[in-house]
Amino acid sequence: MSNTKTALGLSLIVLSMIVLVAFSVPLYDLFCRVTGYGGKTNTSEFLSSTILDRDINLKFSADVNESINWSFEAPENLKFKVGENLLVKYKAKNLSDSENSGTATFNVLPEKVGPYFIKTECFCFEKQTLKPGETVDMPVVFYVDPSISTDPTMEDVEEITLSYTFFKYIE
């Protein structure tokens, strides 16, 4: 009987590990959205309807991983109001002689701002295919949730950095 219990216990542990591995990506994504860990932002289909009299400086960063022969340019840094809906455009160009695809990851700093940085349109995590020499604008529409002003841990936030990095798209 003891061997049966041991085998059943070990089987349950193995099954639990398999389930955790299978669901680790969506669980990690959920964890990041809830906690803002890693500068994870929120998304919304709706624009902000409230603008506060609090200025934030916004810096942009654009990087390209060596796996793809593209140039990638960030918009100019700007100052905006909390709750203000903004549209900015990054610019990507395929520098190679062949059509290829890339995908971008992003980060928001400081990381604690992530849950308050709301994107309503973004090119991130989507396959982008460019022909040789083609240049495209890549829009991002976003706002900073006005509820940031009621969070005492956000009082010191005067500057946010939105950073994207392009990688070769692998199917």
Side-chain angles (χ1 to χ4, degrees), residues 57-165:
N57 292 312
L58 186 58
K59 291 187 173 187
F60 299 96
S61 173
D63 296 300
V64 178
N65 181 271
E66 62 186 33
S67 65
I68 190 166
N69 189 14
W70 285 13
S71 68
F72 188 46
E73 298 174 21
E76 298 223 1
N77 298 338
L78 55 86
K79 182 183 276 193
F80 72 104
K81 302 267 185 214
V82 169
E84 182 179 356
N85 299 297
L86 289 175
L87 163 67
V88 297
K89 294 179 182 176
Y90 282 76
K91 187 174 296 233
K93 181 176 182 176
N94 181 352
L95 302 175
S96 74
D97 294 335
S98 61
E99 180 178 283
N100 55 53
S101 300
T103 186
T105 61
F106 71 92
N107 193 19
V108 174
L109 295 173
E111 290 181 357
K112 67 182 182 176
V113 173
Y116 296 99
F117 196 92
I118 313 298
K119 292 187 295 181
T120 59
E121 181 182 337
C122 183
F123 57 87
C124 52
F125 301 116
E126 294 179 7
K127 179 181 177 182
Q128 307 291 330
T129 301
L130 299 179
K131 295 177 179 154
E134 182 179 12
T135 300
V136 296
D137 287 334
M138 298 190 167
V140 181
V141 178
F142 63 92
Y143 63 92
V144 172
D145 189 330
S147 65
I148 195 172
S149 292
T150 61
D151 185 339
T153 66
M154 298 293 151
E155 289 176 359
D156 63 332
V157 175
E158 296 177 2
E159 182 175 279
I160 296 173
T161 301
L162 179 61
S163 176
Y164 285 88
T165 302

Side-chain angles (χ1 to χ4, degrees), residues 27-43:
L27 287 173
Y28 182 72
D29 183 56
L30 177 64
F31 170 76
C32 290
R33 285 185 188 278
V34 170
T35 65
Y37 181 77
K40 188 78 169 178
T41 64
N42 284 318
T43 58

